[in-house]
mmCIF file of all heavy atoms in Angstrom:
data_model
loop_
_atom_site.group_PDB
_atom_site.id
_atom_site.type_symbol
_atom_site.label_atom_id
_atom_site.label_comp_id
_atom_site.label_asym_id
_atom_site.label_seq_id
_atom_site.Cartn_x
_atom_site.Cartn_y
_atom_site.Cartn_z
ATOM 1 N N LYS A 246 -1.663 -16.260 4.596
ATOM 2 C CA LYS A 246 -0.243 -16.585 4.543
ATOM 3 C C LYS A 246 0.543 -15.297 4.801
ATOM 4 O O LYS A 246 0.501 -14.357 3.994
ATOM 5 C CB LYS A 246 0.137 -17.155 3.174
ATOM 6 C CG LYS A 246 -0.028 -18.660 3.067
ATOM 7 C CD LYS A 246 1.079 -19.358 3.841
ATOM 8 C CE LYS A 246 1.002 -20.874 3.668
ATOM 9 N NZ LYS A 246 1.979 -21.527 4.576
ATOM 10 N N LEU A 247 1.260 -15.250 5.917
ATOM 11 C CA LEU A 247 1.982 -14.032 6.262
ATOM 12 C C LEU A 247 3.223 -13.827 5.405
ATOM 13 O O LEU A 247 3.593 -12.700 5.096
ATOM 14 C CB LEU A 247 2.380 -14.063 7.742
ATOM 15 C CG LEU A 247 1.220 -14.006 8.746
ATOM 16 C CD1 LEU A 247 1.748 -14.082 10.169
ATOM 17 C CD2 LEU A 247 0.394 -12.746 8.567
ATOM 18 N N TYR A 248 3.874 -14.920 5.029
ATOM 19 C CA TYR A 248 5.081 -14.826 4.200
ATOM 20 C C TYR A 248 4.934 -15.784 3.016
ATOM 21 O O TYR A 248 5.483 -16.890 3.027
ATOM 22 C CB TYR A 248 6.327 -15.173 5.028
ATOM 23 C CG TYR A 248 6.585 -14.211 6.161
ATOM 24 C CD1 TYR A 248 6.145 -14.502 7.452
ATOM 25 C CD2 TYR A 248 7.254 -13.017 5.949
ATOM 26 C CE1 TYR A 248 6.378 -13.624 8.506
ATOM 27 C CE2 TYR A 248 7.489 -12.136 6.989
ATOM 28 C CZ TYR A 248 7.040 -12.436 8.270
ATOM 29 O OH TYR A 248 7.259 -11.558 9.304
ATOM 30 N N PRO A 249 4.185 -15.370 2.004
ATOM 31 C CA PRO A 249 3.882 -16.285 0.888
ATOM 32 C C PRO A 249 5.054 -16.533 -0.064
ATOM 33 O O PRO A 249 5.024 -17.492 -0.820
ATOM 34 C CB PRO A 249 2.731 -15.573 0.162
ATOM 35 C CG PRO A 249 2.907 -14.125 0.497
ATOM 36 C CD PRO A 249 3.493 -14.075 1.870
ATOM 37 N N ILE A 250 6.071 -15.667 -0.056
ATOM 38 C CA ILE A 250 7.191 -15.808 -0.995
ATOM 39 C C ILE A 250 8.241 -16.740 -0.398
ATOM 40 O O ILE A 250 8.783 -16.474 0.683
ATOM 41 C CB ILE A 250 7.805 -14.433 -1.336
ATOM 42 C CG1 ILE A 250 6.746 -13.539 -1.986
ATOM 43 C CG2 ILE A 250 9.013 -14.588 -2.259
ATOM 44 C CD1 ILE A 250 7.183 -12.108 -2.179
ATOM 45 N N LYS A 251 8.515 -17.828 -1.082
ATOM 46 C CA LYS A 251 9.426 -18.853 -0.556
ATOM 47 C C LYS A 251 10.901 -18.493 -0.740
ATOM 48 O O LYS A 251 11.738 -18.857 0.081
ATOM 49 C CB LYS A 251 9.138 -20.203 -1.233
ATOM 50 C CG LYS A 251 7.709 -20.704 -1.032
ATOM 51 C CD LYS A 251 7.374 -20.839 0.452
ATOM 52 C CE LYS A 251 5.950 -21.334 0.657
ATOM 53 N NZ LYS A 251 5.576 -21.325 2.087
ATOM 54 N N ASP A 252 11.215 -17.812 -1.839
ATOM 55 C CA ASP A 252 12.603 -17.404 -2.095
ATOM 56 C C ASP A 252 13.019 -16.383 -1.034
ATOM 57 O O ASP A 252 12.512 -15.260 -0.993
ATOM 58 C CB ASP A 252 12.698 -16.787 -3.496
ATOM 59 C CG ASP A 252 14.130 -16.495 -3.914
ATOM 60 O OD1 ASP A 252 14.895 -15.987 -3.069
ATOM 61 O OD2 ASP A 252 14.481 -16.766 -5.069
ATOM 62 N N LYS A 253 13.944 -16.734 -0.139
ATOM 63 C CA LYS A 253 14.290 -15.893 1.000
ATOM 64 C C LYS A 253 14.878 -14.544 0.596
ATOM 65 O O LYS A 253 14.597 -13.519 1.215
ATOM 66 C CB LYS A 253 15.264 -16.638 1.916
ATOM 67 C CG LYS A 253 14.604 -17.783 2.685
ATOM 68 C CD LYS A 253 15.566 -18.394 3.687
ATOM 69 C CE LYS A 253 14.871 -19.493 4.485
ATOM 70 N NZ LYS A 253 15.779 -20.115 5.475
ATOM 71 N N LYS A 254 15.708 -14.551 -0.464
ATOM 72 C CA LYS A 254 16.331 -13.289 -0.892
ATOM 73 C C LYS A 254 15.290 -12.343 -1.482
ATOM 74 O O LYS A 254 15.315 -11.136 -1.235
ATOM 75 C CB LYS A 254 17.445 -13.575 -1.893
ATOM 76 C CG LYS A 254 18.663 -14.240 -1.248
ATOM 77 C CD LYS A 254 19.791 -14.431 -2.239
ATOM 78 C CE LYS A 254 21.013 -15.047 -1.570
ATOM 79 N NZ LYS A 254 22.132 -15.254 -2.512
ATOM 80 N N VAL A 255 14.376 -12.911 -2.261
ATOM 81 C CA VAL A 255 13.304 -12.087 -2.837
ATOM 82 C C VAL A 255 12.363 -11.616 -1.729
ATOM 83 O O VAL A 255 11.939 -10.455 -1.697
ATOM 84 C CB VAL A 255 12.527 -12.873 -3.914
ATOM 85 C CG1 VAL A 255 11.370 -12.028 -4.458
ATOM 86 C CG2 VAL A 255 13.450 -13.289 -5.054
ATOM 87 N N SER A 256 12.050 -12.519 -0.798
ATOM 88 C CA SER A 256 11.160 -12.176 0.315
ATOM 89 C C SER A 256 11.735 -11.018 1.130
ATOM 90 O O SER A 256 11.007 -10.110 1.544
ATOM 91 C CB SER A 256 10.951 -13.396 1.211
ATOM 92 O OG SER A 256 10.083 -13.089 2.272
ATOM 93 N N LYS A 257 13.052 -11.041 1.347
ATOM 94 C CA LYS A 257 13.705 -9.966 2.093
ATOM 95 C C LYS A 257 13.559 -8.626 1.371
ATOM 96 O O LYS A 257 13.259 -7.589 1.991
ATOM 97 C CB LYS A 257 15.185 -10.309 2.273
ATOM 98 C CG LYS A 257 15.969 -9.279 3.074
ATOM 99 C CD LYS A 257 17.441 -9.670 3.181
ATOM 100 C CE LYS A 257 18.264 -8.600 3.890
ATOM 101 N NZ LYS A 257 19.696 -8.949 3.948
#
Side-chain angles (χ1 to χ4, degrees):
K246 272 286 184 188
L247 293 178
Y248 296 96
I250 300 172
K251 301 302 180 186
D252 187 317
K253 288 186 178 180
K254 289 184 178 180
V255 177
S256 181
K257 182 181 176 182

